[in-house]
Amino acid sequence: PAGLSPQPLRLSPPLAAPLRRRFSSVPPPVAALVPPGECQFGEEWVAAPLLGRADLNHDTRLFTFGLPDPGKPLGLSTCACILARGGAEGAEPVVRPYTPVSTNALLGKFELMVKVYSGGLSAHLNGLPIGAPVAFKHIQFNVKTQYPFGRRRLGMLAGGTGIAPMIQALHAVLGSADDSTVVDLLYGSKTEPDILARDTLDAWSAAYPGRLNVTHVLSHEPAGSAWAGARGFISEPLLRQALTPPDADSALFVCGPPPMYDLLCGPRGEEELTGLLADMGYTAGQVHKF
C-alpha cells in the first residue's frame, strides 16, 4: 500500500549465494578523496572529448569523457560538481551542473549520468559523435559541503538522476574504513525500470547492513505490478518512516527535480528552508541542497 517502504534486504542463507553472484560485478565504494582546488577543470572552459556512451535505461545514459591530463584523475572533491556547456537555447549555449558518478580512482577520464530530454544540453550530448569535444569548468560555487561530513547520521533524499551526488557521498562514507556514519536514503523514481544505480545500491546496502538503509518510492508504477514497495510521491509520513528525527548530529542531502525541492525544502538556490523538512523540525544548517 501507499506510504509503506520495502522491507530491508537481509541475506538469509538460501539467498546469500545467488545474491553474491548478482552483486559480484558491482564495484565496492571507493574513498578516493582530494581537497578542493585540485580539479583538472578550473575557472575557464576546457574541452574534453566524448569517449563513450552507454544506456542505463530507456532515457538515461552514462557518458564518459577524457581529461586534459590522461595520467591523472579528475581531482574533484566530495561533494562537488562540474559545469558542462553545449547546444543552444536561442543564441546562448546551455550550461548545466553535473556530479560525476566516477571517483578519483579513475585516471584520465570521468563519467556522468545524464537523463536525456528532447532538447537542451542532454539532447546535444546524446547526438554527439564519439571524439567530439564538450566544454567543462569547475568554479568555487560548485564546491558543496565537504567530507568528512561530521554527522552521526545522514539522510539522503533523491529523485531521478539526483542520485548522482548521493553516490559520490556514499563512496566517501562507505569507502572510508574509519567512518561509522549511518545513511538513510529515500529515493523517488517513476517506475521500477527507472530506478538508477539499483544494483549498486542493493549491493552496498547488503555489504553494509545497518550502515546504508535504502527506501524506494515509485510515483507511476503500474497498478497490479509485482512492486511491493512504496508508491506515490515522497510525503511526510514516508519521510518520518525512512528518516530518524532531526537532531544536532544529523544532516540531510537533497537532490532532484525542481518540484521535489519546492515540496521538501524550497528552491535549490535559496538558503532559506521551507517545505516539509522545515515543518518536521529540520533547520537550514542541517539541509544541504545539491
Side-chain angles (χ1 to χ4, degrees):
L4 294 181
S5 62
Q7 293 299 310
L9 182 62
R10 293 290 182 268
L11 293 181
S12 58
L15 291 176
L19 278 174
R20 287 195 194 98
R21 286 195 294 271
R22 174 187 164 194
F23 295 150
S24 62
S25 62
V26 175
V30 177
L33 302 170
V34 299
E38 297 191 7
C39 183
Q40 287 206 40
F41 299 118
E43 298 280 342
E44 303 297 325
W45 292 105
V46 174
L50 175 64
L51 301 182
R53 180 172 44 226
D55 291 343
L56 295 178
N57 65 16
H58 64 98
D59 66 1
T60 304
R61 292 188 169 88
L62 187 72
F63 293 83
T64 303
F65 294 93
L67 286 167
D69 187 336
K72 295 182 179 180
L74 174 59
L76 196 66
S77 65
T78 302
C79 294
C81 65
I82 56 178
L83 299 176
R85 183 181 68 180
E89 287 180 353
E92 296 296 323
V94 184
V95 176
R96 294 287 183 269
Y98 291 105
T99 300
V101 291
S102 54
T103 73
N104 293 313
L106 187 64
L107 300 181
K109 55 188 176 181
F110 64 97
E111 297 171 334
L112 302 180
M113 178 190 292
V114 179
K115 184 178 178 69
V116 178
Y117 295 93
S118 58
L121 180 55
S122 65
H124 172 74
L125 296 177
N126 196 49
L128 288 177
I130 299 301
V134 175
F136 291 94
K137 72 176 181 178
H138 175 63
I139 60 177
Q140 179 59 35
F141 182 76
N142 300 146
V143 178
K144 309 301 181 182
T145 183
Q146 291 293 288
Y147 183 84
F149 304 122
R151 302 297 177 96
R152 178 184 56 83
R153 196 144 196 149
L154 286 179
M156 296 182 174
L157 308 177
T161 53
I163 195 65
M166 310 307 171
I167 291 175
Q168 184 188 63
L170 285 170
H171 270 293
V173 170
L174 299 178
S176 297
D178 58 348
D179 194 323
S180 60
T181 306
V182 175
V183 179
D184 302 304
L185 169 61
L186 178 53
Y187 184 21
S189 307
K190 288 184 177 180
T191 66
E192 192 169 4
D194 288 307
I195 301 174
L196 297 170
R198 186 176 184 180
D199 280 355
T200 296
L201 296 175
D202 285 351
W204 290 359
S205 61
Y208 297 88
R211 292 279 317 282
L212 175 59
N213 309 302
V214 181
T215 300
H216 294 283
V217 57
L218 304 181
S219 60
H220 293 79
E221 180 68 10
S225 75
W227 178 252
R231 295 172 183 258
F233 294 92
I234 294 177
S235 62
E236 184 172 341
L238 193 55
L239 288 168
R240 293 190 182 279
Q241 184 172 336
L243 305 176
T244 56
D247 61 34
D249 208 13
S250 64
L252 290 181
F253 295 170
V254 182
C255 189
M260 181 175 167
Y261 287 101
D262 294 341
L263 173 71
L264 295 178
C265 57
R268 185 177 64 177
E270 296 182 3
E271 292 185 7
E272 180 187 5
L273 181 66
T274 59
L276 291 179
L277 296 179
D279 295 341
M280 293 172 63
Y282 290 95
T283 65
Q286 292 175 303
V287 178
H288 302 274
K289 306 176 186 181
F290 287 84

